[in-house]
Amino acid sequence: MNLNASVFISILVAIFVVRTLRQFLDLPGRIPRLNQVLGYIWVPGVALYGFSQLIGWKTDQLDELYMLFLLAVVALVLVRVQTYRPARTLLLAIAPYLLYSLIELISTLISNRLLEQYDNVFGNSQGFAIIWLVTFGFIARNQKKHLEKERLEREAEEEAKRKIEVQNAALELMVAERTASLTQQTEELREALKELKVTQDQLIQAEKMASLGELTAGIAHEIQNPLNFVTNFSDVSTELLTELEEEQQRPDRDLALEAELLHDLRQNLTKITHHGQRAASIVRGMLEHSRASTGERQPTNLNQLADEYLRLAYHGLRARDKSFNATLLTDFAPDLPLLEAVSQDLGRVLLNLLTNAFYAVQKRREAQPDGYVPTVSVRTRPLPGGGVEVRVRDNGTGIPEAVRQKIFQPFFTTKPTGEGTGLGLSLSYDIITKGHNGTLNVETEEGRGTEFIMELPG
């Protein structure tokens, strides 16, 4: 290879090495001024070649001299950025090769025979220096990757930290605003709670009044029957008295007829007394239901109570719908023990369950007018532990599964607006479970009917 080509290749190698060094060590950011000077690394090579041509120095060591200069420049750069760990590794990598190149150049200038005499030593040294350079070059490369990874992780952490600080500042602002808002809302909720308690009391009272309205309508129709009997028997008794007076005024009195008339009068008066007492018991039941519960427990005949409210609830619905008719079934246990209970409260529960039952069969009759017989039944039986079970069953519309879990919740109702407050079953549940330590469950099948099961301890 001629001198011109050798020097040209050395200059290209120098430019490549400087470019690689810039990228590897990030010289524009670390030493910007020296980085600019490195851009002229080719100038010494061209100057050295021109100087040699000027003085007539025709030697093959010109490119080696330039490469030694390049290694010295690289070493200088590495020393300048030795705080960077890969730079220190690269400095360690080129040190043997730089030392070898310097010794070889000096030996060549002193005597070519010396270089030829120790050719194997120089060859082995050069191989070792190259292997050392390549090995530590890879080590520096791995160090750079590791440091780059750490840098990226650190930047990510700093970015995350910065975002967290921004978010914390935003959250603190939001917390301050939210605290002020919550303080205001707390005051508003406090006022709303007061209004809600008042409204709740009003709704409970409205439910009681609605229950009283159902009871009153039933009583008005139920009491009509004994009053009609009293009126009829009074009219018949008046006629019998007239016949008795006429018979007593005859000269030939028929004592047997007078005795028969007196017997009929006595029977009529007995029936009048019976139906009068029946009307009085109905009125008394109405008064007990409308009176606020004192919580006083008294021996209560659930058979009588259930039968009473079954008919009252039925007539209450018929008061609103004259065309409505239903089959009433009762299965009262004759040996049912008296139960210590608050009869007014149990009456409210029975009235609510029975009113709901009649409402359900009425709605099914409206949807299925042909071939359907509305039926409501009440069954009582004693429990083995001494308590009493009451079952109220209807063959009405049933309760959907999605609704069944909510029926005992306050204010929940499936009735249209204006037909229910949603408190009837809730109050009934509280009366049975909390007031009497019993249970109130429901079994239902949509489209087939519903059965409420009330168990009260003895």
Side-chain angles (χ1 to χ4, degrees):
M1 184 179 297
N2 59 36
L3 180 62
N4 293 338
S6 178
V7 173
F8 179 72
I9 292 174
S10 298
I11 292 174
L12 291 179
V13 170
I15 294 174
F16 174 75
V17 169
V18 168
R19 182 178 180 183
T20 304
L21 200 63
R22 281 174 168 174
Q23 295 178 351
F24 188 81
L25 299 178
D26 188 24
L27 297 182
R30 296 180 184 275
I31 46 176
R33 296 184 62 182
L34 184 56
N35 176 68
Q36 293 178 356
V37 174
L38 289 176
Y40 301 97
I41 192 66
W42 54 273
V43 173
V46 174
L48 184 62
Y49 175 75
F51 179 74
S52 65
Q53 293 294 324
L54 181 63
I55 64 174
W57 186 21
K58 306 296 183 180
T59 176
D60 293 337
Q61 281 73 38
L62 187 61
D63 58 334
E64 295 180 4
L65 183 62
Y66 178 66
M67 294 306 297
L68 184 62
F69 168 76
L70 174 63
L71 288 174
V73 171
V74 170
L76 175 63
V77 171
L78 293 176
V79 170
R80 289 290 303 275
V81 293
Q82 61 180 327
T83 55
Y84 186 45
R85 189 167 59 182
R88 294 197 300 270
T89 304
L90 283 179
L91 184 60
L92 182 62
I94 69 170
Y97 194 81
L98 179 61
L99 181 61
Y100 163 78
S101 299
L102 181 61
I103 294 173
E104 183 185 28
L105 181 61
I106 294 172
S107 299
T108 302
L109 293 175
I110 293 174
S111 173
N112 287 330
R113 293 179 62 187
L114 182 63
L115 188 62
E116 293 174 358
Q117 183 178 357
Y118 295 98
D119 182 61
N120 291 336
V121 175
F122 279 100
N124 293 336
S125 299
Q126 184 182 27
F128 171 78
I130 292 174
I131 294 174
W132 181 278
L133 175 63
V134 172
T135 302
F136 278 85
F138 278 110
I139 293 174
R141 180 172 172 269
N142 291 334
Q143 288 177 342
K144 178 177 174 61
K145 287 184 178 180
H146 182 69
L147 290 174
E148 184 67 16
K149 182 180 179 181
E150 289 183 348
R151 183 185 65 81
L152 293 175
E153 291 178 352
R154 186 168 58 253
E155 289 179 354
E157 291 177 357
E158 291 176 355
E159 180 65 18
K161 184 178 179 181
R162 186 186 64 80
K163 290 182 178 179
I164 291 174
E165 290 176 352
V166 172
Q167 290 178 354
N168 286 340
L171 286 174
E172 288 177 0
L173 180 60
M174 290 176 61
V175 167
E177 294 176 352
R178 190 61 177 166
T179 301
S181 175
L182 288 176
T183 302
Q184 181 180 357
Q185 290 179 7
T186 301
E187 295 299 325
E188 293 176 354
L189 287 175
R190 197 173 281 121
E191 294 297 324
L193 182 60
K194 293 180 181 178
E195 295 178 2
L196 181 62
K197 289 181 178 179
V198 174
T199 305
Q200 186 179 27
D201 293 340
Q202 293 174 347
L203 285 172
I204 293 175
Q205 185 62 28
E207 177 64 29
K208 291 181 178 179
M209 294 304 296
S211 175
L212 180 60
E214 297 281 351
L215 180 63
T216 303
I219 287 174
H221 284 71
E222 181 69 12
I223 205 172
Q224 190 66 41
N225 291 328
L227 289 179
N228 287 338
F229 279 112
V230 170
T231 302
N232 292 335
F233 282 118
S234 296
D235 292 341
V236 172
S237 297
T238 301
E239 294 176 359
L240 290 176
L241 283 174
T242 301
E243 292 182 15
L244 180 60
E245 290 176 350
E246 291 176 353
E247 186 63 29
Q248 287 179 343
Q249 292 176 0
R250 291 180 182 179
D252 52 344
R253 295 169 56 184
D254 187 346
L255 297 179
L257 178 59
E258 290 181 5
E260 182 180 351
L261 292 173
L262 288 173
H263 180 265
D264 290 342
L265 279 172
R266 185 176 292 107
Q267 283 187 334
N268 287 354
L269 290 175
T270 301
K271 292 179 179 179
I272 289 172
T273 300
H274 170 73
H275 290 290
Q277 290 175 349
R278 172 65 184 147
S281 68
I282 293 172
V283 173
R284 185 169 56 253
M286 179 185 67
L287 293 175
E288 288 177 354
H289 183 87
S290 61
R291 188 181 303 120
S293 174
T294 60
E296 182 181 352
R297 296 174 182 265
Q298 298 176 348
T300 302
N301 188 330
L302 277 183
N303 285 343
Q304 180 180 349
L305 197 66
D307 182 62
E308 182 105 8
Y309 281 94
L310 174 63
R311 286 181 284 104
L312 291 178
Y314 176 58
H315 289 299
L317 183 57
R318 280 182 51 82
R320 299 191 302 271
D321 184 1
K322 301 294 184 183
S323 64
F324 176 76
N325 288 290
T327 300
L328 308 183
L329 301 177
T330 57
D331 181 12
F332 296 142
D335 56 343
L336 195 70
L338 294 179
L339 189 71
E340 291 291 330
V342 184
S343 59
Q344 301 99 313
D345 291 345
L346 291 184
R348 289 192 180 97
V349 173
L350 287 169
L351 182 64
N352 182 267
L353 298 181
L354 290 165
T355 300
N356 287 343
F358 284 116
Y359 179 84
V361 298
Q362 182 192 33
K363 290 301 179 183
R364 183 175 177 184
R365 190 199 65 168
E366 293 174 355
Q368 185 183 339
D370 299 327
Y372 169 66
V373 179
T375 304
V376 175
S377 64
V378 181
R379 176 190 175 194
T380 63
R381 70 181 183 92
L383 294 175
V388 175
E389 178 187 79
V390 181
R391 291 175 176 258
V392 177
R393 182 175 182 80
D394 66 75
N395 63 343
T397 55
I399 303 173
E401 180 64 26
V403 174
R404 188 164 63 89
Q405 304 297 329
K406 305 177 183 179
I407 59 173
F408 294 126
Q409 294 179 4
F411 308 110
F412 178 81
T413 179
T414 58
K415 296 180 180 178
T417 303
E419 292 191 19
T421 62
L423 287 172
L425 285 176
S426 174
L427 291 175
S428 299
Y429 185 82
D430 288 344
I431 289 173
I432 298 301
T433 59
K434 298 178 181 179
H436 291 80
N437 297 322
T439 60
L440 180 61
N441 299 309
V442 60
E443 295 178 357
T444 182
E445 184 177 354
E446 189 173 1
R448 298 292 297 276
T450 302
E451 183 174 32
F452 282 92
I453 305 167
M454 178 172 59
E455 294 185 359
L456 297 167

mmCIF file of all heavy atoms in Angstrom, residues 19-44:
data_model
loop_
_atom_site.group_PDB
_atom_site.id
_atom_site.type_symbol
_atom_site.label_atom_id
_atom_site.label_comp_id
_atom_site.label_asym_id
_atom_site.label_seq_id
_atom_site.Cartn_x
_atom_site.Cartn_y
_atom_site.Cartn_z
ATOM 1 N N ARG A 19 -16.103 10.070 15.900
ATOM 2 C CA ARG A 19 -17.578 10.056 15.837
ATOM 3 C C ARG A 19 -18.141 9.041 16.835
ATOM 4 O O ARG A 19 -19.121 9.322 17.532
ATOM 5 C CB ARG A 19 -18.000 9.714 14.417
ATOM 6 C CG ARG A 19 -19.512 9.722 14.230
ATOM 7 C CD ARG A 19 -19.868 9.429 12.786
ATOM 8 N NE ARG A 19 -21.308 9.429 12.617
ATOM 9 C CZ ARG A 19 -21.921 9.150 11.468
ATOM 10 N NH1 ARG A 19 -21.193 8.867 10.386
ATOM 11 N NH2 ARG A 19 -23.232 9.154 11.393
ATOM 12 N N THR A 20 -17.536 7.865 16.857
ATOM 13 C CA THR A 20 -18.000 6.835 17.803
ATOM 14 C C THR A 20 -17.818 7.290 19.245
ATOM 15 O O THR A 20 -18.679 7.078 20.109
ATOM 16 C CB THR A 20 -17.237 5.524 17.567
ATOM 17 O OG1 THR A 20 -17.402 5.122 16.204
ATOM 18 C CG2 THR A 20 -17.745 4.433 18.491
ATOM 19 N N LEU A 21 -16.659 7.935 19.508
ATOM 20 C CA LEU A 21 -16.382 8.407 20.865
ATOM 21 C C LEU A 21 -17.387 9.469 21.293
ATOM 22 O O LEU A 21 -17.814 9.510 22.452
ATOM 23 C CB LEU A 21 -14.957 8.965 20.922
ATOM 24 C CG LEU A 21 -14.304 9.065 22.301
ATOM 25 C CD1 LEU A 21 -14.141 7.670 22.907
ATOM 26 C CD2 LEU A 21 -12.942 9.751 22.203
ATOM 27 N N ARG A 22 -17.750 10.349 20.370
ATOM 28 C CA ARG A 22 -18.742 11.388 20.679
ATOM 29 C C ARG A 22 -20.072 10.762 21.130
ATOM 30 O O ARG A 22 -20.677 11.176 22.125
ATOM 31 C CB ARG A 22 -18.981 12.257 19.444
ATOM 32 C CG ARG A 22 -17.911 13.305 19.189
ATOM 33 C CD ARG A 22 -18.180 13.982 17.866
ATOM 34 N NE ARG A 22 -17.376 15.174 17.696
ATOM 35 C CZ ARG A 22 -17.338 15.893 16.574
ATOM 36 N NH1 ARG A 22 -18.080 15.505 15.528
ATOM 37 N NH2 ARG A 22 -16.595 16.968 16.491
ATOM 38 N N GLN A 23 -20.524 9.767 20.356
ATOM 39 C CA GLN A 23 -21.809 9.139 20.680
ATOM 40 C C GLN A 23 -21.724 8.329 21.966
ATOM 41 O O GLN A 23 -22.635 8.363 22.798
ATOM 42 C CB GLN A 23 -22.251 8.239 19.526
ATOM 43 C CG GLN A 23 -22.558 8.999 18.237
ATOM 44 C CD GLN A 23 -22.938 8.059 17.098
ATOM 45 O OE1 GLN A 23 -22.813 6.840 17.212
ATOM 46 N NE2 GLN A 23 -23.374 8.643 15.982
ATOM 47 N N PHE A 24 -20.610 7.587 22.103
ATOM 48 C CA PHE A 24 -20.506 6.696 23.258
ATOM 49 C C PHE A 24 -20.413 7.471 24.562
ATOM 50 O O PHE A 24 -21.004 7.083 25.584
ATOM 51 C CB PHE A 24 -19.284 5.792 23.084
ATOM 52 C CG PHE A 24 -19.198 4.704 24.113
ATOM 53 C CD1 PHE A 24 -19.926 3.541 23.985
ATOM 54 C CD2 PHE A 24 -18.363 4.840 25.225
ATOM 55 C CE1 PHE A 24 -19.837 2.533 24.933
ATOM 56 C CE2 PHE A 24 -18.278 3.843 26.177
ATOM 57 C CZ PHE A 24 -19.008 2.688 26.024
ATOM 58 N N LEU A 25 -19.655 8.560 24.569
ATOM 59 C CA LEU A 25 -19.425 9.320 25.805
ATOM 60 C C LEU A 25 -20.293 10.571 25.908
ATOM 61 O O LEU A 25 -20.175 11.305 26.886
ATOM 62 C CB LEU A 25 -17.947 9.721 25.900
ATOM 63 C CG LEU A 25 -16.941 8.568 25.945
ATOM 64 C CD1 LEU A 25 -15.515 9.116 25.979
ATOM 65 C CD2 LEU A 25 -17.192 7.667 27.140
ATOM 66 N N ASP A 26 -21.143 10.796 24.921
ATOM 67 C CA ASP A 26 -22.008 11.990 24.913
ATOM 68 C C ASP A 26 -21.177 13.257 25.099
ATOM 69 O O ASP A 26 -21.422 14.075 25.997
ATOM 70 C CB ASP A 26 -23.080 11.867 26.006
ATOM 71 C CG ASP A 26 -24.116 12.982 25.916
ATOM 72 O OD1 ASP A 26 -24.292 13.540 24.808
ATOM 73 O OD2 ASP A 26 -24.736 13.294 26.956
ATOM 74 N N LEU A 27 -20.141 13.403 24.249
ATOM 75 C CA LEU A 27 -19.213 14.521 24.385
ATOM 76 C C LEU A 27 -19.863 15.895 24.182
ATOM 77 O O LEU A 27 -19.467 16.845 24.865
ATOM 78 C CB LEU A 27 -18.039 14.346 23.408
ATOM 79 C CG LEU A 27 -17.159 13.107 23.660
ATOM 80 C CD1 LEU A 27 -16.015 13.073 22.656
ATOM 81 C CD2 LEU A 27 -16.630 13.103 25.077
ATOM 82 N N PRO A 28 -20.877 16.029 23.261
ATOM 83 C CA PRO A 28 -21.487 17.362 23.126
ATOM 84 C C PRO A 28 -22.091 17.874 24.420
ATOM 85 O O PRO A 28 -22.114 19.078 24.670
ATOM 86 C CB PRO A 28 -22.556 17.146 22.055
ATOM 87 C CG PRO A 28 -22.058 16.004 21.247
ATOM 88 C CD PRO A 28 -21.376 15.111 22.225
ATOM 89 N N GLY A 29 -22.549 16.961 25.252
ATOM 90 C CA GLY A 29 -23.130 17.400 26.521
ATOM 91 C C GLY A 29 -22.128 17.511 27.636
ATOM 92 O O GLY A 29 -22.307 18.300 28.562
ATOM 93 N N ARG A 30 -21.044 16.731 27.580
ATOM 94 C CA ARG A 30 -20.097 16.692 28.686
ATOM 95 C C ARG A 30 -18.973 17.733 28.505
ATOM 96 O O ARG A 30 -18.650 18.459 29.440
ATOM 97 C CB ARG A 30 -19.489 15.287 28.809
ATOM 98 C CG ARG A 30 -20.508 14.214 29.157
ATOM 99 C CD ARG A 30 -19.860 12.843 29.266
ATOM 100 N NE ARG A 30 -20.859 11.805 29.500
ATOM 101 C CZ ARG A 30 -21.343 11.465 30.699
ATOM 102 N NH1 ARG A 30 -20.892 12.104 31.768
ATOM 103 N NH2 ARG A 30 -22.239 10.522 30.814
ATOM 104 N N ILE A 31 -18.359 17.733 27.341
ATOM 105 C CA ILE A 31 -17.271 18.707 27.077
ATOM 106 C C ILE A 31 -17.511 19.335 25.693
ATOM 107 O O ILE A 31 -16.879 18.930 24.700
ATOM 108 C CB ILE A 31 -15.891 18.020 27.154
ATOM 109 C CG1 ILE A 31 -15.904 16.687 26.390
ATOM 110 C CG2 ILE A 31 -15.468 17.803 28.585
ATOM 111 C CD1 ILE A 31 -14.550 16.008 26.338
ATOM 112 N N PRO A 32 -18.438 20.265 25.604
ATOM 113 C CA PRO A 32 -18.834 20.791 24.291
ATOM 114 C C PRO A 32 -17.675 21.465 23.537
ATOM 115 O O PRO A 32 -17.571 21.324 22.322
ATOM 116 C CB PRO A 32 -19.950 21.784 24.636
ATOM 117 C CG PRO A 32 -19.766 22.103 26.086
ATOM 118 C CD PRO A 32 -19.206 20.886 26.702
ATOM 119 N N ARG A 33 -16.793 22.199 24.246
ATOM 120 C CA ARG A 33 -15.715 22.911 23.547
ATOM 121 C C ARG A 33 -14.708 21.929 22.944
ATOM 122 O O ARG A 33 -14.290 22.058 21.783
ATOM 123 C CB ARG A 33 -15.024 23.870 24.499
ATOM 124 C CG ARG A 33 -15.947 24.988 24.992
ATOM 125 C CD ARG A 33 -15.201 25.981 25.858
ATOM 126 N NE ARG A 33 -14.133 26.641 25.103
ATOM 127 C CZ ARG A 33 -13.293 27.536 25.614
ATOM 128 N NH1 ARG A 33 -13.414 27.888 26.897
ATOM 129 N NH2 ARG A 33 -12.354 28.088 24.879
ATOM 130 N N LEU A 34 -14.277 20.947 23.737
ATOM 131 C CA LEU A 34 -13.355 19.943 23.230
ATOM 132 C C LEU A 34 -13.998 19.115 22.119
ATOM 133 O O LEU A 34 -13.339 18.685 21.174
ATOM 134 C CB LEU A 34 -12.894 19.031 24.367
ATOM 135 C CG LEU A 34 -11.837 17.974 24.018
ATOM 136 C CD1 LEU A 34 -10.596 18.644 23.408
ATOM 137 C CD2 LEU A 34 -11.478 17.155 25.244
ATOM 138 N N ASN A 35 -15.304 18.918 22.242
ATOM 139 C CA ASN A 35 -16.014 18.182 21.203
ATOM 140 C C ASN A 35 -15.929 18.908 19.857
ATOM 141 O O ASN A 35 -15.771 18.278 18.803
ATOM 142 C CB ASN A 35 -17.480 17.990 21.621
ATOM 143 C CG ASN A 35 -18.307 17.310 20.543
ATOM 144 O OD1 ASN A 35 -18.116 16.140 20.247
ATOM 145 N ND2 ASN A 35 -19.221 18.064 19.950
ATOM 146 N N GLN A 36 -16.022 20.235 19.904
ATOM 147 C CA GLN A 36 -15.891 21.004 18.663
ATOM 148 C C GLN A 36 -14.477 20.875 18.066
ATOM 149 O O GLN A 36 -14.301 20.743 16.849
ATOM 150 C CB GLN A 36 -16.220 22.469 18.919
ATOM 151 C CG GLN A 36 -17.687 22.723 19.269
ATOM 152 C CD GLN A 36 -17.960 24.175 19.564
ATOM 153 O OE1 GLN A 36 -17.031 25.010 19.584
ATOM 154 N NE2 GLN A 36 -19.232 24.507 19.797
ATOM 155 N N VAL A 37 -13.471 20.880 18.925
ATOM 156 C CA VAL A 37 -12.083 20.744 18.458
ATOM 157 C C VAL A 37 -11.871 19.387 17.808
ATOM 158 O O VAL A 37 -11.158 19.256 16.792
ATOM 159 C CB VAL A 37 -11.101 20.963 19.625
ATOM 160 C CG1 VAL A 37 -9.665 20.686 19.181
ATOM 161 C CG2 VAL A 37 -11.245 22.374 20.181
ATOM 162 N N LEU A 38 -12.520 18.347 18.366
ATOM 163 C CA LEU A 38 -12.358 17.007 17.815
ATOM 164 C C LEU A 38 -12.872 16.909 16.383
ATOM 165 O O LEU A 38 -12.500 15.991 15.637
ATOM 166 C CB LEU A 38 -13.081 15.988 18.694
ATOM 167 C CG LEU A 38 -12.443 15.705 20.058
ATOM 168 C CD1 LEU A 38 -13.326 14.760 20.862
ATOM 169 C CD2 LEU A 38 -11.050 15.106 19.880
ATOM 170 N N GLY A 39 -13.735 17.843 16.027
ATOM 171 C CA GLY A 39 -14.232 17.839 14.653
ATOM 172 C C GLY A 39 -13.123 18.083 13.633
ATOM 173 O O GLY A 39 -13.296 17.793 12.438
ATOM 174 N N TYR A 40 -12.002 18.576 14.084
ATOM 175 C CA TYR A 40 -10.871 18.845 13.196
ATOM 176 C C TYR A 40 -9.751 17.827 13.375
ATOM 177 O O TYR A 40 -8.572 18.109 13.150
ATOM 178 C CB TYR A 40 -10.326 20.258 13.450
ATOM 179 C CG TYR A 40 -11.369 21.342 13.238
ATOM 180 C CD1 TYR A 40 -12.073 21.871 14.310
ATOM 181 C CD2 TYR A 40 -11.631 21.811 11.951
ATOM 182 C CE1 TYR A 40 -13.024 22.847 14.119
ATOM 183 C CE2 TYR A 40 -12.585 22.803 11.758
ATOM 184 C CZ TYR A 40 -13.286 23.322 12.846
ATOM 185 O OH TYR A 40 -14.225 24.299 12.634
ATOM 186 N N ILE A 41 -10.086 16.614 13.761
ATOM 187 C CA ILE A 41 -9.091 15.572 13.992
ATOM 188 C C ILE A 41 -8.336 15.211 12.709
ATOM 189 O O ILE A 41 -7.204 14.720 12.736
ATOM 190 C CB ILE A 41 -9.767 14.317 14.600
ATOM 191 C CG1 ILE A 41 -8.714 13.345 15.115
ATOM 192 C CG2 ILE A 41 -10.668 13.654 13.580
ATOM 193 C CD1 ILE A 41 -7.926 13.868 16.274
ATOM 194 N N TRP A 42 -8.963 15.482 11.571
ATOM 195 C CA TRP A 42 -8.313 15.165 10.293
ATOM 196 C C TRP A 42 -7.208 16.167 9.936
ATOM 197 O O TRP A 42 -6.315 15.879 9.130
ATOM 198 C CB TRP A 42 -9.350 15.149 9.169
ATOM 199 C CG TRP A 42 -10.159 16.444 9.087
ATOM 200 C CD1 TRP A 42 -11.275 16.757 9.754
ATOM 201 C CD2 TRP A 42 -9.814 17.571 8.292
ATOM 202 N NE1 TRP A 42 -11.710 18.008 9.454
ATOM 203 C CE2 TRP A 42 -10.827 18.548 8.532
ATOM 204 C CE3 TRP A 42 -8.775 17.889 7.398
ATOM 205 C CZ2 TRP A 42 -10.803 19.798 7.917
ATOM 206 C CZ3 TRP A 42 -8.782 19.119 6.778
ATOM 207 C CH2 TRP A 42 -9.797 20.066 7.042
ATOM 208 N N VAL A 43 -7.253 17.367 10.518
ATOM 209 C CA VAL A 43 -6.289 18.422 10.156
ATOM 210 C C VAL A 43 -4.854 18.005 10.477
ATOM 211 O O VAL A 43 -3.946 18.157 9.624
ATOM 212 C CB VAL A 43 -6.655 19.744 10.853
ATOM 213 C CG1 VAL A 43 -5.569 20.804 10.618
ATOM 214 C CG2 VAL A 43 -8.009 20.237 10.354
ATOM 215 N N PRO A 44 -4.525 17.460 11.672
ATOM 216 C CA PRO A 44 -3.146 17.038 11.941
ATOM 217 C C PRO A 44 -2.643 15.998 10.950
ATOM 218 O O PRO A 44 -1.465 15.991 10.569
ATOM 219 C CB PRO A 44 -3.205 16.493 13.363
ATOM 220 C CG PRO A 44 -4.354 17.192 13.985
ATOM 221 C CD PRO A 44 -5.351 17.349 12.907
#
